[in-house]
Amino acid sequence: MSTVNRQFVLASRPVGLPEESNFKLIETPVPELKDGEFLARAMYLSVDPYMRGRISQARSYAAGVEIGGLMVAGGVARVVESKNPNFAVGDIVDVYMGWQEYVISSGKGIRKLNPSIAPVSTALGVLGMTGLTAYFGLLDVCNPQPGETVVVSGAAGAVGSIVGQIAKIKGCRTVGIAGGDDKCAWISTDCGYDAAFNYKTTDNYGAKLKELCPNGIDVYFDNVGGAITDAVFMQINTHARLSICGQISQYNNAKPEMGPRLLGMLIVARAKVQGFLVSDYMPRAAEAMIEMSGWLREGKLKYREDIVEGFENLPKAFIGLFHGENTGKRIVKVVD
């Protein structure tokens, strides 16, 4: 076992799109264990769009990363040393550890993973925060009903690809919006979307939505914001529900983007728009995991992992999210 812990810290705050120079790789000693603690080494680390908000100075729902502070991230790690009777060497755990190779934990709130049930990397995706975000953001916020039309932006991403499948399980008609013909093909073929379009090659979002949603839009799961969401607003049905999960098209804007002021459509349609945080639903995580695991076993739920090899590639993998490089959940593999 190494005595050196490699970590990525925030070197500077990005203006616009993040750059690799905004992050600095440092080495620190691996701390010694105290009674009741265990030491785990990262196997997989997550990169997610929400991290962009955590490295800016804008108001957010959680404290930002300070200059020189460790980058935040979820991880899957293997226990390599333990003074905690509940965790043995070799156990694999789901732990919020940040961009570093080693983490020390007391074990509180830590979930052990069973590789015989599902690949452990799924704890960062379909059977982790990503899956929970899709589950509660769709079912709790929007309460989709059989026969309704559900539109999802960012539909080939980690969350969006799961949202569409859950909507299909619930008997809905699904329309996905993604950034590439290959992505549209994947969500149509593997994720079961009834229709999809490539926003990068579509000139008129409103006309395309009207074509693909002839009966209007009952539920919208928003991952991107901007012009796509503006177009959706004009097509919503009476009593539509809009779940605001992310606004990735806006995260790197140096200045707020001015757009149509469409809140009046919520009055016309008597519609509901709600932002949410998956952390608010953690007391109910077990119920979601049981149902999601069952769908996965039954083949009703499929997922794709976009795996980048190498700890040193964490910043590059993160930045790639904003260029639409990933299909499905992007994960950085550190070690086997």
Side-chain angles (χ1 to χ4, degrees):
M1 185 185 72
S2 174
T3 59
V4 174
N5 185 21
R6 291 192 296 170
Q7 301 175 313
F8 273 106
V9 299
L10 185 64
S12 59
R13 298 201 185 279
V15 177
L17 277 167
E19 299 177 354
E20 290 187 57
S21 60
N22 296 131
F23 308 95
K24 182 180 179 182
L25 179 61
I26 66 170
E27 294 184 350
T28 61
V30 175
E32 291 190 6
L33 287 182
K34 300 175 183 176
D35 288 340
E37 294 180 335
F38 67 81
L39 175 70
R41 185 182 185 188
M43 299 171 65
Y44 299 94
L45 293 172
S46 187
V47 290
D48 299 280
Y50 81 83
M51 296 172 179
R52 180 60 181 86
R54 300 292 290 274
I55 58 177
S56 76
Q57 290 184 304
R59 177 188 172 191
S60 188
Y61 53 85
V65 178
E66 298 295 334
I67 300 298
L70 178 69
M71 275 296 295
V72 295
V76 169
R78 179 180 280 109
V79 176
V80 293
E81 186 179 347
S82 181
K83 292 185 178 180
N84 184 318
N86 297 317
F87 293 87
V89 172
D91 284 348
I92 299 175
V93 296
D94 174 15
V95 55
Y96 199 73
M97 63 183 294
W99 285 1
Q100 59 180 340
E101 286 189 292
Y102 291 92
V103 64
I104 282 182
S105 173
S106 67
K108 184 177 180 181
I110 300 298
R111 175 169 62 128
K112 288 186 187 180
L113 302 175
N114 186 343
S116 67
I117 294 176
V120 294
S121 56
T122 58
L124 299 178
V126 62
L127 295 183
M129 297 297 283
T130 297
L132 294 177
T133 299
Y135 183 93
F136 289 113
L138 178 66
L139 300 183
D140 196 85
V141 175
C142 294
N143 189 28
Q145 299 299 305
E148 290 190 321
T149 296
V150 176
V151 173
V152 183
S153 59
V159 173
S161 58
I162 303 300
V163 170
Q165 294 180 77
I166 296 174
K168 289 299 296 180
I169 290 169
K170 296 299 180 180
C172 300
R173 181 174 182 274
T174 55
V175 177
I177 306 169
D181 291 341
D182 56 337
K183 294 183 178 183
C184 289
W186 176 65
I187 62 173
S188 298
T189 302
D190 286 18
C191 302
Y193 273 85
D194 295 290
F197 72 89
N198 179 356
Y199 74 86
K200 292 183 178 179
T201 57
T202 299
D203 294 327
N204 188 323
Y205 299 150
K208 179 57 73 171
L209 285 167
K210 188 171 290 188
E211 173 193 336
L212 298 182
C213 307
N215 296 318
I217 297 169
D218 301 296
V219 170
Y220 176 50
F221 194 101
D222 187 15
N223 287 302
V224 303
I228 290 172
T229 298
D230 291 342
V232 169
F233 260 70
M234 301 305 294
Q235 310 292 335
I236 57 175
N237 287 334
T238 302
H239 303 305
R241 289 85 67 203
L242 289 71
S243 179
I244 309 302
C245 177
Q247 300 282 282
I248 195 170
S249 73
Q250 309 297 299
Y251 291 161
N252 296 305
N253 290 345
K255 295 181 179 179
E257 183 181 272
M258 296 302 293
R261 294 173 172 84
L262 301 175
L263 293 182
M265 289 303 300
L266 300 178
I267 302 171
V268 173
R270 283 86 84 201
K272 179 184 80 169
V273 57
Q274 180 180 329
F276 75 98
L277 294 176
V278 68
S279 55
D280 293 340
Y281 292 94
M282 293 317 293
R284 294 172 53 196
E287 68 179 75
M289 285 296 185
I290 291 170
E291 194 157 31
M292 295 279 284
S293 298
W295 291 334
L296 198 62
R297 286 193 304 272
E298 294 165 10
K300 294 180 179 178
L301 204 57
K302 298 179 181 178
Y303 66 95
R304 180 179 287 187
E305 294 177 332
D306 182 54
I307 297 179
V308 176
E309 299 270 353
F311 179 85
E312 65 280 359
N313 290 320
L314 275 161
K316 187 180 298 184
F318 169 63
I319 294 165
L321 295 173
F322 303 102
H323 295 287
E325 291 178 358
N326 64 300
T327 299
K329 175 70 180 107
R330 175 159 276 195
I331 302 169
V332 174
K333 183 178 179 180
V334 181
V335 296
D336 290 320

